[in-house]
DNA sequence: CAGAATTTGTACGTATGTATG
DNA sequence: TCATACATACGTACAAATTCT
């Protein structure tokens, strides 16, 4: 591992385990330099990462202060797969593959994804059951060319894990859109709506490290089960 | 202005004006160094900022590529005030101050804000009218001690502008929570709900540069007028 | 209040490693 | 194989904000 990543993850662990408590200062740059036998630039890079990800707040002339650690764990900043999120939150979750088919991008989808019409896609619908209720429908559209061997067996587990570990692709960024929509047929068919007539839709355009678009996903959440948090910086 | 900020904002302008088009490479680090007579570290800092904010994607060994510029303008990453956002989007917007009063934090509010019970607050309700319909209610709770002179006149304009320019405070980060809630009395009173029975609530805990909590805000959006986008990185 | 010490911010420079074409 | 371009890591100097003496 990198030196700055080592420093970063050590401090994250210290914060999560409350060895550095909320409101406390972490060691100064000088101290970290000698602890890790690292240069100032390397230490600063690690601390900058901590600040970007909401762990700390740097104050000129004073030091680096730990923010609330509790929030971090429930945070969705960064790209986190459904499985990773629920592992962290420890909920009773069952995913069921409702459909898996090869399709060609129609006009609307091609526009939204920024690919040519009739591009071969793998379309997967999965229903997420949390604590006994069907509350999320995920509809993935993968660019077929980029995900060979994506079958029902893989879809039943973590697709992201398959893509990164098995195929060796690097996922780098996603544009994310959150909005509300009236329920459609899929929602009524798959979700326990309890009379609610809207869902919250999270759209994800996920890209590989080299910039190629790799999937378009819609996550359709029942209103009362949707929760999103992050940290914004000015 | 800083050197790296200068480089950063020059390139942002070039991207926004399509002088660097989507998918194109921006000048390499070496070229930027000679253009700006800057060191490698300075140039890299500017480009890192571009990537953090979703303008570009760096690829090892190839170059730095411009992502879709159009999305950036409608982006809510970072802390953006209502007024700033609508200035950028060019919508017909009217804000009306529905209430402004001094209150003391009750138990629920004190817990949510992490302040002592009975802390003096300034509570402001504002209704946002977009294209002729009342679609958002903003309910701000400012820590009274930190915002002297915050009256109806100020509230009618941009409160953020007042706080940063007049009071000289630096806003640095906010924890943001997005969820859906059933409509409450405020929603029914102030919004044109058209029969919708839920709203999307954006909660903001905004902090100053020195880490002090400074306001808690609830923005209650009519479902069909809510839209949020950002870029997530893994 | 002045000055020293500490701490983060900006900027420069160099060397070497790794990925791409 | 070689050139180009980004990644990591080292080092230095001075500026600016805060705190301590």
């Amino acid at each position: 591992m990198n030196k700055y990543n080592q420093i970063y993850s050590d401090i994250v662990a210290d914060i999560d385990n409350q060895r550095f408590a909320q409101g406390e200062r972490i060691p100064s740059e000088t101290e970290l330099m000698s602890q890790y036998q690292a240069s100032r630039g390397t230490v600063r890079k690690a601390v900058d990462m901590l600040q970007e990800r909401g762990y700390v707040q740097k104050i000129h002339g004073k030091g680096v202060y730990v923010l609330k650690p509790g929030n971090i764990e429930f945070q969705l900043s960064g790209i986190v797969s459904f499985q990773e999120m629920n592992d962290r939150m420890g909920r009773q979750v069952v995913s069921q593959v409702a459909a898996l088919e090869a399709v060609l991008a129609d006009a609307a989808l091609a526009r939204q994804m920024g690919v040519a019409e009739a591009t071969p896609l793998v379309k997967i619908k999965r229903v997420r059951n949390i604590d006994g209720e069907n509350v999320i429908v995920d509809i993935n559209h993968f660019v077929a060319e980029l995900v060979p061997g994506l079958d029902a067996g893989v879809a039943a587990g973590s697709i992201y894990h398959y893509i990164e570990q098995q195929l060796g692709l690097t996922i780098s960024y996603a544009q994310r859109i959150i909005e509300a929509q009236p329920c459609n047929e899929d929602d009524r068919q798959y979700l326990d709506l309890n009379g609610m007539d809207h869902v919250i839709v999270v759209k994800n355009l996920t890209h590989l490290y080299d910039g190629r678009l790799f999937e378009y996903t819609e996550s359709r959440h029942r209103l009362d089960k949707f929760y999103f948090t992050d940290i914004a910086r000015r």
Side-chain angles (χ1 to χ4, degrees), chain A:
Chain A
M1 177 146 39
N2 292 337
K3 213 159 186 176
Y4 67 77
N5 263 305
Q6 188 60 58
I7 301 175
Y8 165 80
S9 44
D10 281 2
I11 299 178
V12 166
D14 285 341
I15 292 174
D16 283 345
N17 298 327
Q18 318 244 346
R19 281 192 290 273
F20 298 148
Q22 172 184 353
E24 297 289 300
R25 274 184 47 196
I26 67 171
S28 72
E29 291 173 358
T30 326
E31 289 173 276
L32 290 172
M33 284 167 69
S34 75
Q35 272 182 46
Y36 285 93
Q37 288 299 302
S39 72
R40 178 120 185 266
T42 303
V43 166
R44 280 181 64 80
K45 172 135 190 173
V47 176
D48 285 348
M49 285 172 63
L50 288 167
Q51 166 151 311
E52 272 165 41
R53 300 178 192 198
Y55 287 101
V56 300
Q57 171 73 13
K58 300 166 73 166
I59 304 183
H60 192 172
K62 292 185 76 173
V64 179
Y65 292 84
V66 177
L67 302 175
K68 301 180 188 174
N71 301 320
I72 306 298
E73 297 165 42
F74 296 94
Q75 197 172 323
L76 286 179
S77 73
I79 303 170
V80 180
S81 78
F82 185 76
Q83 188 162 349
E84 288 167 346
M85 187 182 77
N86 286 294
D87 284 352
R88 280 200 256 169
M89 298 182 61
R91 295 191 293 195
Q92 267 299 325
V93 170
V94 181
S95 294
Q96 191 200 336
V97 179
L100 187 149
E101 50 182 338
V103 299
L104 301 180
D106 62 21
L109 205 51
R111 189 179 43 77
Q112 189 121 37
M113 294 181 68
V115 300
E117 218 172 307
T119 301
L121 304 173
V122 178
K123 180 175 178 178
I124 300 175
K125 283 186 201 174
R126 287 181 292 180
V127 181
R128 314 292 200 172
N129 183 300
I130 299 181
D131 296 335
E133 285 188 303
N134 294 327
V135 293
I136 304 173
V137 187
D138 276 353
I139 303 155
N140 300 73
H141 304 81
F142 294 94
V143 175
E145 182 192 14
L146 298 175
V147 290
L150 179 49
D151 56 23
V154 172
S158 172
I159 295 179
Y160 269 41
H161 185 269
Y162 171 75
I163 284 160
E164 294 192 308
Q165 305 303 318
Q166 242 60 39
L167 298 180
L169 299 175
T170 306
I171 296 167
S172 97
Y173 71 94
Q175 190 197 358
R176 193 161 47 182
I177 297 166
I178 301 175
E179 63 185 357
Q181 287 182 9
C183 293
N184 65 17
E185 280 201 14
D186 277 345
D187 303 330
R188 279 184 248 277
Q189 178 178 352
Y190 295 114
L191 298 182
D192 297 326
L193 285 169
N194 295 347
M196 284 176 265
D197 56 359
H198 283 74
V199 291
I200 291 185
V201 180
V202 181
K203 299 177 182 177
N204 256 286
L205 288 159
T206 312
H207 297 256
L208 297 175
Y209 175 67
D210 63 4
R212 282 182 295 179
L213 174 73
F214 144 77
E215 70 153 331
Y216 169 71
T217 296
E218 274 188 30
S219 275
R220 307 180 69 87
H221 297 246
R222 200 172 76 183
L223 288 177
D224 60 328
K225 291 295 183 183
F226 178 79
Y227 181 85
F228 173 91
T229 176
D230 74 350
I231 287 190
R233 293 191 172 273
R234 192 157 175 81

